[in-house]
Amino acid sequence: MSYEWDWDAVRDSLPLLWHGFLTTLLATVLGTAVAAVLGLLVAVAGRVPTRLVTVPVRAVTEFVRSTPLLVQLVGAYAVFNTVDPLTIGVAVLGIHYASYLSEVYRAGIDAVPKGQWEACRALSMSPRRTWQAVILPQAVRKVLPALGNYGISMFKETPFLAVITVQEMVAKAREYGADHFTYAETFTLAGLFFLAASYPTSLLMRKLEKRLGH
Amino acid sequence: MADFYSYFFDHMSAVWSGLLVTVEATVLGSVVALALSFVFGFAAGSRLPLARGVSRVVVEFLRGTSLYVQLFWLYYAFPLLAGYELSPLFCGVVALGMNYGAYGSEVVRGALNAVPKAQWEAAVALNMTPLQRMRRVILPQAWVQMIPSFTNLLIQLLKCTPLLWLISAADLTTVVQQMRDRTGATTWAYLTLLVIYFVLAYALTLLMNALERHAKSRLGLRTDRRSLLRRRGAGPAREPETAGGPS
């Protein structure tokens, strides 16, 4: 049985998908921002010299990063049922990826030479100033390419938000496909959208990685 | 809380059958992924430009188009194009296998490249056939390097199996969701579900640690017994997005 490819459906669904694509992009950018900030906080909290802080922080990040994003999303949506779905989506994506990124930051912080810490002590800098002026600027620079790569990963996982009724691209593709029975066209188109956005970005990240001397 | 758990333990057989589907999808998906990892990984390191090119294109395509879309495409679009339907579990296994196989191929390629050049040369100097060289010299060393990355990918794959719920396979997530609907105990249902996945992930980590220890001992490297209980490596959960991009 041969299938008749419906170019009209491709043309008709394009504006709809584009609209959804913008939502996907928005969720990714906000989610990455949340993950970048939260991940940094978690990494710094992991260096606090008391186990009262480090042990619970590590346990929570380990739990978050070992459990499925989809279940976290659906669970958060069901529990906080009065909050707007996009907000929940961004928060859960942000928290989930923060658990990965905290490890990346941690590695970045560990890579700052010991002499830098000692020099700060010798200059009797406050801990706050040590982090702000010396350690973080060096650590974050090393972390940037990895942050970008996780952003791309997150981008490809934002379709999960469709499950909690966020109108992103795949939700639109599914809706249009169901109405017109053109799943083949709309899902293929959605896949190509992802490829067209994520592949150039990952090439860019690679360039950045090279420039920052990895 | 008590309501939910009495319901949960009264319907353990449903939980087991859901767990079975989830484990099945994970195991079969990772077998497919492992096979594809080696196929694409070897092709990427091949001397034939055609093999390298095909592997590159396929891998970038599979990594670039999002697992979620691939799964939905297989489940909704493929039957339209091909004229016959696939079972949800089969769709899941194929989609998970292909997607993680693409990520895994970078692991294989990287590990093969990481085996010191002198080892390849020595094997050639000893007049080994290409097959012997791979089987006796290169792979045992590369395999040890691959295991930690494969562990991370395996956990990622496990964490994507709840997608099966969306294409109506009766996996663990589906079963616990149904229990939540019956009992109305939202928080406890989802917490329980998360804890089960966490336990599964930890069990897989222990298994992979044991495998790593075995692989290392074959190379004459000793590992501490306590390291069998350690958590996953601190490295990134996924390999860099374009490990093999144009250079």
Side-chain angles (χ1 to χ4, degrees):
Chain A
M1 188 186 121
S2 71
Y3 182 75
E4 197 118 338
W5 189 266
D6 187 354
W7 286 107
D8 289 346
V10 172
R11 208 188 49 229
D12 284 355
S13 62
L14 206 57
L16 210 70
L17 287 186
W18 174 250
H19 201 77
F21 180 73
L22 294 181
T23 310
T24 304
L25 219 55
L26 178 73
T28 308
V29 170
L30 293 178
T32 308
V34 172
V37 174
L38 203 63
L40 182 62
L41 291 178
V42 170
V44 174
R47 306 268 313 198
V48 172
T50 159
R51 304 191 76 179
L52 226 61
V53 178
T54 54
V55 171
V57 163
R58 179 166 292 183
V60 171
T61 43
E62 186 67 17
F63 186 76
V64 170
R65 102 192 165 100
S66 301
T67 52
L69 175 66
L70 187 65
V71 177
Q72 292 168 2
L73 268 174
V74 180
Y77 182 63
V79 173
F80 303 102
N81 49 16
T82 52
V83 184
D84 155 62
L86 184 63
T87 313
I88 290 193
V90 167
V92 173
L93 271 180
I95 292 171
H96 193 83
Y97 274 80
S99 71
Y100 300 146
L101 280 175
S102 66
E103 296 285 347
V104 177
Y105 278 118
R106 203 169 64 109
I109 292 169
D110 286 347
V112 174
K114 233 180 154 192
Q116 300 278 331
W117 292 93
E118 288 159 3
C120 290
R121 261 184 88 90
L123 291 169
S124 65
M125 278 185 178
S126 69
R128 193 198 154 110
R129 198 157 155 65
T130 305
W131 280 103
Q132 268 184 0
V134 181
I135 307 302
L136 287 185
Q138 298 182 67
V140 169
R141 198 183 138 85
K142 288 192 211 297
V143 166
L144 277 180
L147 208 113
N149 282 332
Y150 278 106
I152 299 168
S153 286
M154 189 194 288
F155 174 64
K156 284 178 282 186
E157 281 189 349
T158 43
F160 284 33
L161 300 193
V163 182
I164 59 167
T165 73
V166 175
Q167 288 296 305
E168 52 65 64
M169 184 165 54
V170 181
K172 299 269 193 197
R174 202 176 168 183
E175 193 186 292
Y176 188 93
D179 287 350
H180 300 82
F181 217 57
T182 52
Y183 283 125
E185 289 82 0
T186 48
F187 278 134
T188 306
L189 210 57
L192 293 179
F193 260 104
F194 274 104
L195 189 64
S198 70
Y199 188 58
T201 320
S202 56
L203 291 187
L204 225 76
M205 279 305 140
R206 202 177 153 72
K207 269 206 169 132
L208 180 71
E209 228 164 291
K210 279 225 171 99
R211 174 167 297 182
L212 290 179
H214 279 264
Chain B
M1 178 183 175
D3 281 358
F4 176 74
Y5 285 109
S6 63
Y7 191 90
F8 183 86
F9 288 114
D10 282 349
H11 295 78
M12 266 322 254
S13 62
V15 176
W16 285 121
S17 77
L19 193 67
L20 190 71
V21 173
T22 293
V23 170
E24 232 174 344
T26 309
V27 171
L28 295 177
S30 36
V31 168
V32 174
L34 188 71
L36 289 181
S37 300
F38 275 97
V39 170
F40 293 135
F42 275 118
S46 158
R47 259 182 296 175
L48 302 168
L50 184 69
R52 280 206 308 272
V54 169
S55 153
R56 188 80 272 132
V57 169
V58 172
V59 166
E60 292 299 348
F61 180 80
L62 288 177
R63 299 201 313 174
T65 49
S66 171
L67 170 65
Y68 191 97
V69 177
Q70 287 160 14
L71 184 69
F72 272 55
W73 197 92
L74 267 181
Y75 188 67
Y76 288 107
F78 183 79
L80 292 178
L81 294 173
Y84 61 89
E85 272 181 52
L86 307 170
S87 79
L89 185 64
F90 186 78
C91 278
V93 168
V94 171
L96 287 169
M98 290 202 307
N99 193 272
Y100 283 95
Y103 282 98
S105 73
E106 297 293 346
V107 174
V108 171
R109 200 178 59 97
L112 288 178
N113 282 342
V115 175
K117 259 255 137 54
Q119 297 280 335
W120 294 80
E121 288 160 1
V124 172
L126 288 171
N127 219 3
M128 284 183 168
T129 65
L131 195 69
Q132 280 177 327
R133 204 188 324 161
M134 261 307 150
R135 206 169 62 85
R136 317 202 66 148
V137 181
I138 308 301
L139 266 186
Q141 298 181 62
W143 180 234
V144 168
Q145 295 235 0
M146 291 177 204
I147 293 174
S149 304
F150 275 149
T151 309
N152 278 327
L153 285 178
L154 182 61
I155 306 294
Q156 294 274 352
L157 192 149
L158 167 73
K159 282 166 50 188
C160 283
T161 54
L163 279 173
L164 289 176
W165 159 55
L166 301 177
I167 58 169
S168 66
D171 75 324
L172 190 64
T173 306
T174 315
V175 171
V176 179
Q177 290 259 28
Q178 282 165 356
M179 292 185 165
R180 178 196 85 113
D181 294 342
R182 297 271 155 72
T183 59
T186 304
T187 313
W188 293 111
Y190 285 117
L191 267 181
T192 310
L193 190 54
L194 287 176
V195 169
I196 299 177
Y197 277 110
F198 181 75
V199 171
L200 284 178
Y202 193 63
L204 284 179
T205 309
L206 295 186
L207 209 72
M208 293 298 276
N209 284 349
L211 193 67
E212 188 180 356
R213 185 185 150 96
H214 172 73
K216 276 187 172 162
S217 74
R218 276 179 62 202
L219 294 182
L221 300 167
R222 284 259 203 94
T223 39
D224 190 359
R225 222 166 239 291
R226 266 177 312 172
S227 73
L228 286 176
L229 291 173
R230 71 164 193 255
R231 60 195 196 110
R232 270 182 297 145
R238 254 181 231 255
E239 295 308 296
E241 282 294 324
T242 46
S247 47

